[in-house]
Amino acid sequence: MRLVIKEDISKKRVLVRVDYNVPVNENGDIIDNSRIEKSLKTIKFLLENGAQVILISHFGRIKNENDIEKYSLKKVSDELSILLNKKVTFIKERDFELAKEIVYNINDSLILLENTRIYDLYDKMESNCSEELTKFYSELADVYVNDAFGASHRRHASTYGVRKYLPSYYGYLIDEELNNLNCLVDINQRPFTVFMGGAKVEDKLIIIKSLLKKCDYLCLGGGILNSFLKAKGFDIKNSLATKDDSILKELKILLDLYPEKILLSNELTWEDDKILDININDYKKVMENSKLVFINGTPGIFEEIKYQKGTKELFDIVTKTKAKTIIGGGDTASAVKMFNMEGKFSFISSGGGASLEYVAYNKLNALEEIC
Ligand code: ADP
Ligand code: MG
């Protein structure tokens, strides 16, 4: 796939997959509209070239009928309309035939359909990439443009399947992501150091294995560090860590395989019987000597003031070096924002799982040839 150009879309109906999985408060109000803002460049480009734009996106997870209201894209539609100063036609209809009729019969240039995951209520059609849903989406348009970087590691109907039936391209947001992340795909700046923190090691184990083959150092924090410490036989008491013996065994094997690459901090911040943050001292030297640093996940519970020190220190150290510094992951990006350090990193990816998979496997499902 390549970046969309004018000739691909001029005066055509264009189905655009965006990532409007926005953070909301308990009333369902959008608390951060940056995902919507990031979609504007591609939308404006398409509209300026006479395309009719039909937007689709996932939002949250839909497990029952109540979730449909909770995760409706209506509020996103209103916000998009404000940001573009333009009418956005929001289509709630979920029946394939009726929705198609509506789309075919309106001339409005900017349309947003309801959350793609409403179809997960029916045999997980979106997440399982159902043929029926894929066909429905592709019949709405002449051309497909994917600009949902954060969802592009997924083989869903709206990210992966729909390309089977439509000429497919990617938009400006994905283009920017790829251009910035490519230095983590083919590593030509070394030492290359990865900091991996966050909560659950289970989610990231395959990625960790893949990254270990590429990086020079892997510094650990959060629940991931706790799990490795546990695998080593250290008593982490009640700290967050995996309880799965087979995973612990795998972590032990990794520690034996890469004794010099995997760095485990010894300076732990305890509260009662839990490790909630770490001191970054043990990683300082390695970080300072690195030419390329990728950070995914935080060293501690940065959401609480008491346990922000490790995260702040890590960001301080890496942004003071000359290294290229790249952030991946939603919570990690929120931490950067919280400490007002956005301008200090080389690049902050809009994808969590997507940036990790791209860096670990050098590819993304939704951009690969369909099979
Ligand atoms: P991202 O969303 O950037 O991929 P993660 O979700 O993997 O990052 O990691 C960030 C989360 O990890 C934060 O919510 C943070 O509170 C949590 N976390 C970090 N350290 C710990 C710890 N020691 N115990 C429990 N949770 C932790
Ligand atoms: Mg997270």
Side-chain angles (χ1 to χ4, degrees):
M1 263 165 93
R2 63 161 168 82
L3 176 65
V4 64
I5 56 169
K6 193 175 159 181
E7 288 70 25
D8 304 322
I9 50 89
S10 189
K11 308 223 169 66
K12 292 190 175 142
R13 279 175 198 262
V14 185
L15 181 74
V16 186
R17 175 54 158 99
V18 284
D19 180 1
Y20 286 161
N21 191 26
V22 292
V24 288
N25 64 15
E26 52 289 351
N27 301 325
D29 298 323
I30 300 165
I31 49 177
D32 180 356
N33 69 1
S34 38
R35 289 204 163 156
I36 307 175
E37 274 183 337
K38 283 190 174 141
S39 73
L40 300 181
K41 190 171 173 190
T42 297
I43 296 174
K44 282 183 185 164
F45 164 78
L46 297 170
L47 291 172
E48 277 161 15
N49 288 292
Q52 184 185 35
V53 177
I54 304 158
L55 300 166
I56 53 173
S57 174
H58 76 291
F59 178 28
R61 289 215 156 83
I62 307 278
K63 294 192 180 122
N64 53 52
E65 282 287 333
N66 293 337
D67 288 338
I68 292 188
E69 218 29 62
K70 188 171 164 198
Y71 292 113
S72 168
L73 284 171
K74 175 73 181 76
K75 283 185 180 167
V76 169
S77 166
D78 297 339
E79 180 68 17
L80 177 64
S81 174
I82 294 168
L83 290 174
L84 280 175
N85 191 20
K86 183 179 168 59
K87 179 181 168 196
V88 179
T89 304
F90 180 63
I91 299 180
K92 240 180 137 49
E93 180 57 61
R94 66 177 113 147
D95 177 90
F96 292 153
E97 291 313 313
L98 295 175
K100 265 193 278 182
E101 271 311 300
I102 299 172
V103 173
Y104 293 160
N105 287 309
I106 45 178
N107 282 322
D108 304 356
S109 55
L110 185 56
I111 296 168
L112 172 64
L113 299 191
E114 186 57 287
N115 191 350
T116 56
R117 286 199 180 150
I118 56 176
Y119 297 107
D120 273 349
L121 275 186
Y122 318 98
D123 297 331
K124 292 204 143 272
M125 286 175 113
E126 159 72 335
S127 299
N128 289 340
C129 197
S130 97
E131 180 66 15
E132 214 186 332
L133 184 59
T134 295
K135 277 226 163 98
F136 161 65
Y137 282 137
S138 60
E139 280 164 12
L140 296 173
D142 312 307
V143 178
Y144 172 71
V145 173
N146 180 8
D147 217 13
F149 179 75
S152 289
H153 54 315
R154 304 214 158 104
R155 286 192 181 191
H156 290 180
S158 68
T159 55
Y160 182 82
V162 69
R163 300 172 309 142
K164 200 163 143 188
Y165 300 109
L166 292 176
S168 301
Y169 310 96
Y170 56 77
Y172 289 114
L173 189 154
I174 289 193
D175 191 53
E176 196 196 346
E177 289 278 352
L178 299 181
N179 287 337
N180 280 287
L181 294 178
N182 275 340
C183 68
L184 299 171
V185 171
D186 294 313
I187 309 296
N188 48 30
Q189 287 156 298
R190 290 189 182 274
F192 167 39
T193 301
V194 176
F195 176 89
M196 192 166 272
K200 286 168 93 186
V201 75
E202 289 89 341
D203 299 344
K204 293 182 181 169
L205 186 57
I206 317 171
I207 306 274
I208 290 173
K209 284 189 197 164
S210 196
L211 282 173
L212 275 167
K213 294 190 188 128
K214 286 176 86 163
C215 71
D216 297 295
Y217 298 102
L218 176 66
C219 303
L220 298 171
I224 298 191
L225 171 67
N226 298 348
S227 301
F228 271 90
L229 290 172
K230 187 173 172 183
K232 233 181 133 180
F234 184 80
D235 183 9
I236 55 155
K237 300 187 180 157
N238 244 332
S239 308
L240 179 74
T242 181
K243 294 192 169 67
D244 184 327
D245 283 334
S246 64
I247 289 188
L248 287 166
K249 240 183 230 164
E250 285 201 63
L251 299 186
K252 181 73 178 64
I253 293 171
L254 291 178
L255 286 167
D256 292 339
L257 269 177
Y258 301 100
E260 269 140 44
K261 257 190 198 186
I262 303 177
L263 305 185
L264 308 176
S265 171
N266 278 316
E267 296 185 47
L268 312 168
T269 307
W270 291 84
E271 180 160 316
D272 300 328
D273 55 356
K274 286 191 179 111
I275 305 161
L276 300 177
D277 194 13
I278 58 169
N279 196 317
I280 301 298
N281 254 335
D282 288 335
Y283 303 147
K284 195 166 178 211
K285 238 195 174 137
V286 161
M287 292 288 174
E288 283 176 343
N289 290 328
S290 296
K291 293 245 165 58
L292 182 61
V293 179
F294 178 51
I295 300 179
N296 173 275
T298 58
I301 305 187
F302 72 94
E303 295 92 338
E304 291 180 46
I305 295 172
K306 280 198 285 187
Y307 313 115
Q308 287 179 343
K309 193 166 167 273
T311 306
K312 265 191 186 156
E313 258 175 27
L314 173 69
F315 292 172
D316 267 337
I317 291 169
V318 301
T319 54
K320 279 193 183 120
T321 66
K322 287 206 174 72
K324 199 162 194 178
T325 51
I326 300 187
I327 296 280
D331 290 305
T332 317
S334 304
V336 171
K337 218 172 188 180
M338 190 185 255
F339 304 140
N340 283 320
M341 294 184 74
E342 286 153 296
K344 297 196 169 158
F345 288 88
S346 309
F347 184 64
I348 301 172
S349 173
S350 62
S355 54
L356 270 181
E357 288 201 14
Y358 189 57
V359 174
Y361 309 136
N362 302 354
K363 65 184 184 90
L364 279 173
N365 283 321
L367 305 181
E368 286 295 296
E369 288 304 307
I370 203 154
C371 53

